[in-house]
Amino acid sequence: MPQPIRIPKLGKKDSWLRVVVVLVLLGIGLYSAWQREQQPAEPPPATDAAEPRLKLPPIAANKREPTPEVQSSRPAEAPATARTIITGQTIRDQNGRLVFRGDVDVGPTLERIDRSERLEFAHDGIVFQNRERRLPRKPANYYREFVHPTPELGGPGPQRIVMGREGETYYTPDHYRSFRRLD
């Protein structure tokens, strides 16, 4: 009759060692995933045929100035809408799919912020913590972030306006991977 295979009992030291090894491996895996998330992904090559474009009248880049189209469509007593155009932006959703390419007008969002109006997105008007450290280091609660809606996306999308207490204003088209100062 064949001898049964005996599995040795694990002692307390062996059990704890296995638990520690599993926890270390889990920690390494989570850290690696976090590091990959922090690095900007290479966008897939875009084709000109599938690129959505927003049609805007020609306006000088990065200037807040009234536009004749808005002035002529408003009553004389209403203030003119300021426009801030950021040219040549490529906006992708969180899956890397191209959702917009062209010039972005953040003027309406800046005016909304000046009026203290908030969108119904959870991230609109909250403290921006600058975890990525891509903006100058300032004390806690110094920056606030505001959603700039993205055409073709129902949610908040990747575009944000980040403002400091002293009025400095930044725009990010790619959810904090890069910033452009507006003021």
Side-chain angles (χ1 to χ4, degrees):
M1 180 166 201
Q3 291 284 358
I5 299 175
R6 297 187 70 200
I7 299 174
K9 283 190 171 185
L10 295 175
K12 285 187 178 185
K13 282 187 178 179
D14 293 334
S15 296
W16 281 105
L17 182 61
R18 288 184 183 189
V19 168
V20 168
V21 168
V22 168
L23 288 176
V24 167
L25 291 175
L26 180 63
I28 290 171
L30 288 173
Y31 181 77
S32 297
W34 179 75
Q35 283 294 324
R36 282 192 302 274
E37 186 70 27
Q38 297 302 315
Q39 296 173 352
E42 288 295 320
T47 60
D48 289 340
E51 294 176 4
R53 296 194 183 267
L54 180 65
K55 295 174 185 160
L56 291 172
I59 295 176
N62 300 325
K63 303 259 176 140
R64 288 184 90 174
E65 59 190 26
T67 50
E69 297 81 25
V70 175
Q71 286 180 344
S72 64
S73 63
R74 293 177 161 263
E77 66 275 359
T81 302
R83 298 194 75 163
T84 300
I85 304 296
I86 302 162
T87 59
Q89 296 301 304
T90 300
I91 312 296
R92 297 183 182 279
D93 66 10
Q94 63 190 53
N95 297 324
R97 184 179 60 92
L98 179 70
V99 294
F100 176 79
R101 178 171 282 162
D103 299 343
V104 175
D105 180 10
V106 295
T109 298
L110 294 172
E111 289 175 354
R112 174 179 61 81
I113 294 166
D114 288 343
R115 293 188 308 265
S116 297
E117 293 177 9
R118 303 290 177 258
L119 297 178
E120 295 193 18
F121 300 119
H123 295 289
D124 195 56
I126 66 169
V127 171
F128 175 70
Q129 297 177 0
N130 196 20
R131 285 186 213 133
E132 295 82 6
R133 297 183 179 157
R134 293 193 174 106
L135 295 181
R137 286 191 183 197
K138 298 290 182 177
N141 301 325
Y142 183 84
Y143 294 109
R144 291 215 168 264
E145 71 175 272
F146 301 89
V147 173
H148 179 70
T150 303
E152 306 293 322
L153 292 179
Q159 297 184 90
R160 298 286 189 276
I161 299 290
V162 176
M163 298 182 88
R165 280 189 207 147
E166 295 176 11
E168 59 269 40
T169 304
Y170 300 90
Y171 165 75
T172 176
D174 49 15
H175 206 261
Y176 321 124
R177 287 189 180 128
S178 65
F179 286 92
R180 181 172 184 169
R181 188 154 180 174
L182 299 180
D183 57 320

